[in-house]
Structure formats: C-alpha cells, structure tokens
Amino acid sequence: MIPTITVFERSPDGGRGLARDTRVRWALEETGQAYAVRCVSFRAMKQPAHLALHPFGQIPTFEEGDLALFESGAIVLHLAHRHPGLLPDDPDARARAIAWMFAALNTVEPPILEREQTPYAVGDRPWCAELLSILDDRVRARLSQLSAHLGRSEWLDGAFSAGDLMMVSVLLRLKSLALLDEFSNLGSYVARGEDRPAYRRAFAAQLLANTQKQPPV
Ligand code: GTB
C-alpha cells in the first residue's frame, strides 16, 4: 500500500522547499518509497476531517493502512525504522543518529524559528532590530557548536542518516539569512544534503506541486 502524505495546497514559500512536507518527501525518497500526496487548504486543515489526523491542524501527516501519523520528526523516524537507508544497523550508531534527529528538532530548530518568525510578529516595533540581533547571536551560538562538532566530516556521525536529513532540513531555513555563511563547513554540509538525488527528487516534487496551475474550483 502506498502511503499518503498531506501538504499545503499552495505553500506560502512558493516552492522553496521550506514547508515540513519536504523532509518527509526526502525520507520517502531516500528509502525508495512511492507515495501519494493530498493537498490541504488552510481552511481544510482546521476542519474535523484533518483534525482527526493532526490534532493541531497542520501539515504534514502520513497515512499508511491503519496507521496515521503527524509530526515530521515522528514520520521520518517511522520511515527510518521501517525501511533501510536512514539508520545504521549498529544499535549504538542507530541511537546516536536518532539523537541527532532530536538535536535538529529540539536544539537547533527552535532558535532558528524564533529568529525567522520575529520580523513577522514584531517587525513594526522600535526594539525589533535589537531583538533580532540577540536572536541572531542565539542562532550563531548553536551553529558554532554544530560547526565545531562537524569539523571536516561529511556527515554528523559516520554515514548519512536520518539525523543528517533532519539537520540539513532545519539549516535550510537559514538560507535567506547570512548566518550560515559564517560557517563554511555548515554551508558545505547543507549543499551536500541538497545534492543528494533523493533530496533533489523531493524538492522537485514539492516545487512542481507549488507552481503548477491549480484546477479551477
Ligand atoms: N512540529 C510540526 C512538524 O514538524 O510536523 C510542525 C508542523 C508545522 O509547523 N506545519 C506547518 C503548518 O501546517 C507547515 S510547515 N502550518 C499551518 C498552520 O499551522 O495553520 C511550517 C512552514 C510553513 C511555511 C513556510 N514557508 O512558507 O516558508 C515554512 C515552514
């Protein structure tokens, strides 16, 4: 049975791959799984049918047979457990790869999101520039630690894993800011992720979905 994921009917980023279905598409591509897509409007996301799948009324969701999942991290982890390609066989290395997934979502993504969303939330306040500079420093601190860990390695812990998939997905959100440029090894790390054939397929699929003409309603 082919799983179905939900995605924005039209992502606000116009197909830059920043919505969280891209990381799920990427995991599906890395593990060689065909998948179907159901587009959901902002309105439909808050309706009972979608809330039954996602209690917070968001995308992405994942359905396969009797299983319905929400949270991109949980979906990627599920795929990584079920199919080879995203987690090492060695139990300790596997646990470390999962730790990197959590680090991406719990430690690195929050300051990036706060930095990203602040201009929308309080961009008109006189103190916004000062706050942005504080938030930049918070992101910088995390990037500096991550950069020190990565050093000259290709990936975070040996071979590419779900930990890298999630970390690259999170760092991609910084592309519009100059912060990533301050850490050349992280820039190369993100570029390596983007260069993977599975990422390219995932990106192309979401771009097509977000740029093709919508049928009249
Ligand atoms: N923790 C959840 C997960 O990882 O799955 C977060 C899910 C989430 O934030 N979903 C967003 C959503 O459904 C889309 S991805 N938002 C609609 C709503 O809450 O009503 C976040 C996102 C949205 C848009 C852009 N963009 O345009 O650049 C980037 C990321």
Side-chain angles (χ1 to χ4, degrees), residues 118-140:
T118 292
Y120 301 109
V122 293
D124 55 346
R125 308 293 172 90
W127 37 261
C128 183
E130 201 179 336
L131 176 59
L132 286 178
S133 145
I134 292 168
L135 296 178
D136 277 350
D137 281 345
R138 275 198 207 151
V139 173
R140 204 171 267 122

PDB file of all heavy atoms in Angstrom, residues 118-140:
ATOM      1  N   THR A 118      10.228  36.292  14.141  1.00  0.00           N
ATOM      2  CA  THR A 118      10.172  37.576  14.862  1.00  0.00           C
ATOM      3  C   THR A 118       9.838  38.775  13.958  1.00  0.00           C
ATOM      4  O   THR A 118       8.998  39.602  14.331  1.00  0.00           O
ATOM      5  CB  THR A 118      11.479  37.783  15.664  1.00  0.00           C
ATOM      6  OG1 THR A 118      11.490  36.805  16.698  1.00  0.00           O
ATOM      7  CG2 THR A 118      11.560  39.163  16.270  1.00  0.00           C
ATOM      8  N   PRO A 119      10.437  38.898  12.779  1.00  0.00           N
ATOM      9  CA  PRO A 119      10.076  40.062  11.947  1.00  0.00           C
ATOM     10  C   PRO A 119       8.584  40.100  11.600  1.00  0.00           C
ATOM     11  O   PRO A 119       7.995  41.180  11.520  1.00  0.00           O
ATOM     12  CB  PRO A 119      10.918  39.877  10.683  1.00  0.00           C
ATOM     13  CG  PRO A 119      12.043  38.990  11.098  1.00  0.00           C
ATOM     14  CD  PRO A 119      11.504  38.098  12.167  1.00  0.00           C
ATOM     15  N   TYR A 120       7.978  38.918  11.417  1.00  0.00           N
ATOM     16  CA  TYR A 120       6.533  38.900  11.121  1.00  0.00           C
ATOM     17  C   TYR A 120       5.732  39.305  12.353  1.00  0.00           C
ATOM     18  O   TYR A 120       4.711  39.981  12.255  1.00  0.00           O
ATOM     19  CB  TYR A 120       6.089  37.502  10.677  1.00  0.00           C
ATOM     20  CG  TYR A 120       6.809  37.010   9.456  1.00  0.00           C
ATOM     21  CD1 TYR A 120       7.744  35.985   9.552  1.00  0.00           C
ATOM     22  CD2 TYR A 120       6.571  37.581   8.208  1.00  0.00           C
ATOM     23  CE1 TYR A 120       8.426  35.535   8.423  1.00  0.00           C
ATOM     24  CE2 TYR A 120       7.244  37.147   7.084  1.00  0.00           C
ATOM     25  CZ  TYR A 120       8.173  36.120   7.198  1.00  0.00           C
ATOM     26  OH  TYR A 120       8.845  35.691   6.094  1.00  0.00           O
ATOM     27  N   ALA A 121       6.213  38.864  13.527  1.00  0.00           N
ATOM     28  CA  ALA A 121       5.430  39.093  14.747  1.00  0.00           C
ATOM     29  C   ALA A 121       5.574  40.513  15.276  1.00  0.00           C
ATOM     30  O   ALA A 121       4.580  41.127  15.686  1.00  0.00           O
ATOM     31  CB  ALA A 121       5.867  38.078  15.815  1.00  0.00           C
ATOM     32  N   VAL A 122       6.796  41.046  15.288  1.00  0.00           N
ATOM     33  CA  VAL A 122       7.010  42.345  15.938  1.00  0.00           C
ATOM     34  C   VAL A 122       7.880  43.275  15.089  1.00  0.00           C
ATOM     35  O   VAL A 122       8.533  44.177  15.618  1.00  0.00           O
ATOM     36  CB  VAL A 122       7.650  42.170  17.355  1.00  0.00           C
ATOM     37  CG1 VAL A 122       6.688  41.501  18.311  1.00  0.00           C
ATOM     38  CG2 VAL A 122       8.959  41.389  17.280  1.00  0.00           C
ATOM     39  N   GLY A 123       7.854  43.047  13.773  1.00  0.00           N
ATOM     40  CA  GLY A 123       8.702  43.834  12.869  1.00  0.00           C
ATOM     41  C   GLY A 123       8.442  45.334  12.925  1.00  0.00           C
ATOM     42  O   GLY A 123       9.311  46.135  12.571  1.00  0.00           O
ATOM     43  N   ASP A 124       7.246  45.731  13.382  1.00  0.00           N
ATOM     44  CA  ASP A 124       6.920  47.160  13.400  1.00  0.00           C
ATOM     45  C   ASP A 124       7.291  47.830  14.725  1.00  0.00           C
ATOM     46  O   ASP A 124       7.092  49.032  14.888  1.00  0.00           O
ATOM     47  CB  ASP A 124       5.413  47.335  13.131  1.00  0.00           C
ATOM     48  CG  ASP A 124       4.570  46.542  14.115  1.00  0.00           C
ATOM     49  OD1 ASP A 124       5.135  45.657  14.824  1.00  0.00           O
ATOM     50  OD2 ASP A 124       3.363  46.794  14.201  1.00  0.00           O
ATOM     51  N   ARG A 125       7.843  47.067  15.672  1.00  0.00           N
ATOM     52  CA  ARG A 125       8.181  47.672  16.977  1.00  0.00           C
ATOM     53  C   ARG A 125       9.578  48.296  16.916  1.00  0.00           C
ATOM     54  O   ARG A 125      10.479  47.747  16.269  1.00  0.00           O
ATOM     55  CB  ARG A 125       8.173  46.619  18.098  1.00  0.00           C
ATOM     56  CG  ARG A 125       6.908  45.796  18.157  1.00  0.00           C
ATOM     57  CD  ARG A 125       5.712  46.652  18.574  1.00  0.00           C
ATOM     58  NE  ARG A 125       4.487  45.872  18.447  1.00  0.00           N
ATOM     59  CZ  ARG A 125       3.983  45.123  19.423  1.00  0.00           C
ATOM     60  NH1 ARG A 125       4.575  45.058  20.589  1.00  0.00           N
ATOM     61  NH2 ARG A 125       2.879  44.457  19.229  1.00  0.00           N
ATOM     62  N   PRO A 126       9.778  49.408  17.648  1.00  0.00           N
ATOM     63  CA  PRO A 126      11.069  50.108  17.560  1.00  0.00           C
ATOM     64  C   PRO A 126      12.246  49.269  18.053  1.00  0.00           C
ATOM     65  O   PRO A 126      13.382  49.491  17.649  1.00  0.00           O
ATOM     66  CB  PRO A 126      10.865  51.349  18.462  1.00  0.00           C
ATOM     67  CG  PRO A 126       9.634  51.097  19.243  1.00  0.00           C
ATOM     68  CD  PRO A 126       8.800  50.090  18.508  1.00  0.00           C
ATOM     69  N   TRP A 127      11.979  48.293  18.937  1.00  0.00           N
ATOM     70  CA  TRP A 127      13.065  47.478  19.503  1.00  0.00           C
ATOM     71  C   TRP A 127      13.326  46.204  18.698  1.00  0.00           C
ATOM     72  O   TRP A 127      14.139  45.366  19.083  1.00  0.00           O
ATOM     73  CB  TRP A 127      12.753  47.117  20.951  1.00  0.00           C
ATOM     74  CG  TRP A 127      11.297  46.844  21.222  1.00  0.00           C
ATOM     75  CD1 TRP A 127      10.394  47.715  21.758  1.00  0.00           C
ATOM     76  CD2 TRP A 127      10.555  45.635  20.940  1.00  0.00           C
ATOM     77  NE1 TRP A 127       9.140  47.127  21.849  1.00  0.00           N
ATOM     78  CE2 TRP A 127       9.216  45.856  21.361  1.00  0.00           C
ATOM     79  CE3 TRP A 127      10.887  44.401  20.399  1.00  0.00           C
ATOM     80  CZ2 TRP A 127       8.224  44.877  21.230  1.00  0.00           C
ATOM     81  CZ3 TRP A 127       9.904  43.422  20.266  1.00  0.00           C
ATOM     82  CH2 TRP A 127       8.586  43.680  20.674  1.00  0.00           C
ATOM     83  N   CYS A 128      12.636  46.070  17.561  1.00  0.00           N
ATOM     84  CA  CYS A 128      12.754  44.806  16.819  1.00  0.00           C
ATOM     85  C   CYS A 128      14.199  44.542  16.361  1.00  0.00           C
ATOM     86  O   CYS A 128      14.693  43.413  16.450  1.00  0.00           O
ATOM     87  CB  CYS A 128      11.797  44.789  15.633  1.00  0.00           C
ATOM     88  SG  CYS A 128      11.856  43.216  14.775  1.00  0.00           S
ATOM     89  N   ALA A 129      14.894  45.584  15.876  1.00  0.00           N
ATOM     90  CA  ALA A 129      16.261  45.376  15.361  1.00  0.00           C
ATOM     91  C   ALA A 129      17.177  44.850  16.465  1.00  0.00           C
ATOM     92  O   ALA A 129      17.992  43.948  16.238  1.00  0.00           O
ATOM     93  CB  ALA A 129      16.802  46.682  14.789  1.00  0.00           C
ATOM     94  N   GLU A 130      16.992  45.405  17.670  1.00  0.00           N
ATOM     95  CA  GLU A 130      17.825  44.956  18.801  1.00  0.00           C
ATOM     96  C   GLU A 130      17.527  43.489  19.135  1.00  0.00           C
ATOM     97  O   GLU A 130      18.431  42.683  19.373  1.00  0.00           O
ATOM     98  CB  GLU A 130      17.524  45.844  20.001  1.00  0.00           C
ATOM     99  CG  GLU A 130      18.609  45.843  21.043  1.00  0.00           C
ATOM    100  CD  GLU A 130      18.266  46.781  22.215  1.00  0.00           C
ATOM    101  OE1 GLU A 130      17.473  47.718  22.009  1.00  0.00           O
ATOM    102  OE2 GLU A 130      18.781  46.531  23.299  1.00  0.00           O
ATOM    103  N   LEU A 131      16.225  43.159  19.135  1.00  0.00           N
ATOM    104  CA  LEU A 131      15.849  41.778  19.425  1.00  0.00           C
ATOM    105  C   LEU A 131      16.416  40.835  18.361  1.00  0.00           C
ATOM    106  O   LEU A 131      16.933  39.756  18.671  1.00  0.00           O
ATOM    107  CB  LEU A 131      14.314  41.670  19.483  1.00  0.00           C
ATOM    108  CG  LEU A 131      13.745  40.266  19.692  1.00  0.00           C
ATOM    109  CD1 LEU A 131      14.260  39.645  21.000  1.00  0.00           C
ATOM    110  CD2 LEU A 131      12.210  40.302  19.717  1.00  0.00           C
ATOM    111  N   LEU A 132      16.342  41.251  17.108  1.00  0.00           N
ATOM    112  CA  LEU A 132      16.847  40.390  16.023  1.00  0.00           C
ATOM    113  C   LEU A 132      18.335  40.118  16.199  1.00  0.00           C
ATOM    114  O   LEU A 132      18.808  39.001  15.946  1.00  0.00           O
ATOM    115  CB  LEU A 132      16.589  41.030  14.655  1.00  0.00           C
ATOM    116  CG  LEU A 132      15.136  40.987  14.180  1.00  0.00           C
ATOM    117  CD1 LEU A 132      14.998  41.689  12.842  1.00  0.00           C
ATOM    118  CD2 LEU A 132      14.632  39.550  14.085  1.00  0.00           C
ATOM    119  N   SER A 133      19.041  41.128  16.665  1.00  0.00           N
ATOM    120  CA  SER A 133      20.474  40.923  16.854  1.00  0.00           C
ATOM    121  C   SER A 133      20.737  39.927  17.990  1.00  0.00           C
ATOM    122  O   SER A 133      21.645  39.091  17.910  1.00  0.00           O
ATOM    123  CB  SER A 133      21.111  42.302  17.076  1.00  0.00           C
ATOM    124  OG  SER A 133      22.143  42.244  17.948  1.00  0.00           O
ATOM    125  N   ILE A 134      19.909  39.964  19.048  1.00  0.00           N
ATOM    126  CA  ILE A 134      20.034  38.983  20.143  1.00  0.00           C
ATOM    127  C   ILE A 134      19.718  37.579  19.606  1.00  0.00           C
ATOM    128  O   ILE A 134      20.426  36.607  19.886  1.00  0.00           O
ATOM    129  CB  ILE A 134      19.077  39.348  21.311  1.00  0.00           C
ATOM    130  CG1 ILE A 134      19.544  40.644  21.971  1.00  0.00           C
ATOM    131  CG2 ILE A 134      18.982  38.224  22.323  1.00  0.00           C
ATOM    132  CD1 ILE A 134      18.541  41.268  22.932  1.00  0.00           C
ATOM    133  N   LEU A 135      18.662  37.501  18.801  1.00  0.00           N
ATOM    134  CA  LEU A 135      18.261  36.193  18.272  1.00  0.00           C
ATOM    135  C   LEU A 135      19.298  35.665  17.279  1.00  0.00           C
ATOM    136  O   LEU A 135      19.551  34.460  17.213  1.00  0.00           O
ATOM    137  CB  LEU A 135      16.875  36.292  17.623  1.00  0.00           C
ATOM    138  CG  LEU A 135      15.742  36.650  18.604  1.00  0.00           C
ATOM    139  CD1 LEU A 135      14.411  36.772  17.858  1.00  0.00           C
ATOM    140  CD2 LEU A 135      15.629  35.638  19.724  1.00  0.00           C
ATOM    141  N   ASP A 136      19.895  36.571  16.509  1.00  0.00           N
ATOM    142  CA  ASP A 136      20.987  36.167  15.609  1.00  0.00           C
ATOM    143  C   ASP A 136      22.109  35.508  16.411  1.00  0.00           C
ATOM    144  O   ASP A 136      22.671  34.491  16.008  1.00  0.00           O
ATOM    145  CB  ASP A 136      21.566  37.380  14.869  1.00  0.00           C
ATOM    146  CG  ASP A 136      20.750  37.751  13.645  1.00  0.00           C
ATOM    147  OD1 ASP A 136      19.860  36.970  13.260  1.00  0.00           O
ATOM    148  OD2 ASP A 136      21.002  38.838  13.076  1.00  0.00           O
ATOM    149  N   ASP A 137      22.433  36.121  17.548  1.00  0.00           N
ATOM    150  CA  ASP A 137      23.518  35.575  18.376  1.00  0.00           C
ATOM    151  C   ASP A 137      23.157  34.198  18.925  1.00  0.00           C
ATOM    152  O   ASP A 137      24.023  33.333  19.054  1.00  0.00           O
ATOM    153  CB  ASP A 137      23.838  36.530  19.536  1.00  0.00           C
ATOM    154  CG  ASP A 137      24.693  37.695  19.069  1.00  0.00           C
ATOM    155  OD1 ASP A 137      25.261  37.606  17.951  1.00  0.00           O
ATOM    156  OD2 ASP A 137      24.790  38.690  19.802  1.00  0.00           O
ATOM    157  N   ARG A 138      21.880  34.010  19.243  1.00  0.00           N
ATOM    158  CA  ARG A 138      21.466  32.691  19.747  1.00  0.00           C
ATOM    159  C   ARG A 138      21.631  31.631  18.661  1.00  0.00           C
ATOM    160  O   ARG A 138      22.106  30.529  18.918  1.00  0.00           O
ATOM    161  CB  ARG A 138      20.000  32.720  20.184  1.00  0.00           C
ATOM    162  CG  ARG A 138      19.863  33.216  21.571  1.00  0.00           C
ATOM    163  CD  ARG A 138      18.504  32.844  22.135  1.00  0.00           C
ATOM    164  NE  ARG A 138      18.182  33.838  23.138  1.00  0.00           N
ATOM    165  CZ  ARG A 138      16.969  34.224  23.468  1.00  0.00           C
ATOM    166  NH1 ARG A 138      15.931  33.695  22.870  1.00  0.00           N
ATOM    167  NH2 ARG A 138      16.787  35.122  24.382  1.00  0.00           N
ATOM    168  N   VAL A 139      21.227  31.982  17.446  1.00  0.00           N
ATOM    169  CA  VAL A 139      21.380  31.037  16.328  1.00  0.00           C
ATOM    170  C   VAL A 139      22.867  30.789  16.093  1.00  0.00           C
ATOM    171  O   VAL A 139      23.317  29.646  15.946  1.00  0.00           O
ATOM    172  CB  VAL A 139      20.709  31.591  15.049  1.00  0.00           C
ATOM    173  CG1 VAL A 139      21.014  30.708  13.857  1.00  0.00           C
ATOM    174  CG2 VAL A 139      19.202  31.731  15.245  1.00  0.00           C
ATOM    175  N   ARG A 140      23.620  31.890  16.105  1.00  0.00           N
ATOM    176  CA  ARG A 140      25.077  31.810  15.873  1.00  0.00           C
ATOM    177  C   ARG A 140      25.729  30.854  16.873  1.00  0.00           C
ATOM    178  O   ARG A 140      26.609  30.059  16.522  1.00  0.00           O
ATOM    179  CB  ARG A 140      25.645  33.213  16.015  1.00  0.00           C
ATOM    180  CG  ARG A 140      26.919  33.444  15.289  1.00  0.00           C
ATOM    181  CD  ARG A 140      27.285  34.910  15.318  1.00  0.00           C
ATOM    182  NE  ARG A 140      26.814  35.669  14.188  1.00  0.00           N
ATOM    183  CZ  ARG A 140      26.019  36.744  14.252  1.00  0.00           C
ATOM    184  NH1 ARG A 140      25.575  37.195  15.412  1.00  0.00           N
ATOM    185  NH2 ARG A 140      25.648  37.366  13.163  1.00  0.00           N
TER     186      ARG A 140
END
